[in-house]
Amino acid sequence: MTKRRLRADGTPSPRGRRTPKPPPTEEQLAELERLTDALPADLRAFRDRGLLNPVRRFRLEEALRHRTRTLVPILHGVHDPHNQAAVMRSCEALGLQEFHFIQSVEGRSLHASPRVTQNAHRWIDVIEHDNFDDAQNTLRGRGLGLYAAAFTDTAIPLREMDFTRPMAILLGNESKGLPREIIEACDGTFVIPLYGLSQSLNVSVAAAVTLSWAVEARRRAWGDPGDLDPDEKMELRRRFYETALRGPSNGFQQPVE
C-alpha cells in the first residue's frame, strides 16, 4: 500500500504538487514597491508593464537577499546525472550561486538530469573545469580556501568547520572518494559524523547535509548568509527577472562562462 503525503492539517496532499510558501504580507509588498521605485528604468519596467506579478518579484528578491558566491560546492568524479542534478538543486535552494564541476575522466562531462534539477540550474552559475588545477587556480584567485570531504587522520567533524570563511567544498565519487593528490592540495578535510550502521552517504545527500549546515552556521554568525555587493546583486537581479520572464526551459543547457 502506497502512503500519501499529508498536509499540516492532516488532509492528503495532491500528487505532484509542492507545498506552497506563505504569501508575502502587505508590509513586505509595500517594501517591495519602495525597492522597485529605486531600481533602474529597465528593471522597473517588469512591474510597470505587468511583466512579473508582485508575488513573483518578491520571491526573486528574497532569493537575491540570500545569495552568496563565497560558499561553493565542487564535484569531482561524480558522473551520475541524477547526483549531479540533485546537488545543483540543493545548491540553488540554499542560496549558493555557483556550482562547479571537474571533468575527472576525458569525455565524461556534466550531464545533469533536468527532471531532477526541476529548473534549479536556470538560476545558478554552472561552471565546468577541465581539471583540478584549473578549478583551484580560479577559486584561490578569488580568495576561497579549499576543503575536502574525506576520511583522513586530520579530518574534523562537520560541526567544527568554520564556514564563515570564503571556501569551496570538494566532494568526490561516493565509492572512490577524492584522489589523494587533490586531498593533499586542499587546506583541510572534514567528515560528516554517522551514528548508524551505514558507513557512507550518497554524494548528493552528503552535499545537502554539508551545505545546509554551512548556510545555517553563517546565518547564526551573520544573521543573513547573503553577501553579494550591490553591483553583483543588481547584475544578478537582471538575470533573474529575465529568466523568470522566459519561463521554464525544456532541458538542461550549461550556461556559457
Side-chain angles (χ1 to χ4, degrees):
M1 180 177 177
T2 302
K3 294 183 179 181
R4 297 270 315 262
R5 183 174 297 177
L6 302 180
R7 296 191 182 100
D9 61 4
T11 59
S13 175
R15 295 184 186 276
R17 296 185 182 179
R18 300 180 179 87
T19 303
K21 293 183 178 180
T25 65
E26 290 186 8
E27 182 179 350
Q28 288 172 325
L29 290 176
E31 177 59 31
L32 173 66
E33 294 311 303
R34 289 191 290 270
L35 182 151
T36 306
D37 287 339
L39 294 178
D42 62 322
L43 289 172
R44 292 200 308 273
F46 284 87
R47 174 195 65 183
D48 299 341
R49 294 172 57 191
L51 301 176
L52 295 176
N53 67 50
V55 174
R56 187 58 165 158
R57 288 186 288 114
F58 173 79
R59 300 291 183 219
L60 295 173
E61 291 296 336
E62 282 292 284
L64 282 167
R65 187 168 65 85
H66 292 87
R67 273 314 200 247
T68 181
R69 292 184 185 275
T70 60
L71 180 62
V72 175
I74 310 177
L75 296 189
H76 179 281
V78 178
H79 299 294
D80 183 282
H82 183 284
N83 285 335
Q84 294 171 0
V87 177
M88 282 188 195
R89 190 170 175 181
S90 294
C91 180
E92 195 287 319
L94 292 168
L96 281 58
Q97 186 55 35
E98 297 182 16
F99 168 92
H100 290 242
F101 180 84
I102 301 173
Q103 297 184 32
S104 61
V105 179
E106 187 175 354
R108 299 291 296 277
S109 61
L110 187 62
H111 190 67
S113 168
R115 182 178 64 84
V116 179
T117 68
Q118 293 290 298
N119 281 308
H121 60 274
R122 299 170 64 230
W123 305 103
I124 61 176
D125 298 325
V126 179
I127 302 166
E128 195 165 355
H129 303 274
D130 292 333
N131 50 62
F132 172 71
D133 287 341
D134 178 47
Q136 178 177 213
N137 292 337
T138 297
L139 294 168
R140 288 198 186 281
R142 289 167 41 190
L144 275 68
L146 273 62
Y147 292 84
F151 293 100
T152 66
D153 293 340
T154 57
I156 66 174
L158 176 66
R159 61 180 175 274
E160 295 179 16
M161 286 280 288
D162 179 8
F163 286 109
T164 61
R165 294 177 292 179
M167 68 172 60
I169 302 296
L170 283 95
L171 300 113
N173 183 279
E174 55 262 56
S175 61
K176 297 180 180 179
L178 291 165
R180 174 59 54 185
E181 61 270 18
I182 289 181
I183 295 174
E184 292 176 351
C186 288
D187 299 303
T189 57
F190 68 92
V191 293
I192 300 173
L194 301 177
Y195 304 107
L197 299 176
S198 299
Q199 297 299 302
S200 65
L201 298 172
N202 175 277
V203 65
S204 65
V205 176
V209 170
T210 299
L211 299 176
S212 178
W213 182 277
V215 168
E216 287 308 309
R218 288 180 166 207
R219 189 182 300 279
R220 290 192 297 270
W222 302 340
D224 193 332
D227 58 5
L228 297 184
D229 66 37
D231 290 339
E232 289 177 313
K233 189 175 291 186
M234 190 66 74
E235 178 186 357
L236 195 56
R237 179 179 286 112
R238 284 193 168 86
R239 286 174 49 187
F240 277 15
Y241 279 32
E242 291 167 0
T243 298
L245 188 61
R246 286 197 300 269
S249 62
N250 295 322
F252 175 74
Q253 294 181 337
Q254 288 177 247
V256 177
E257 291 185 56

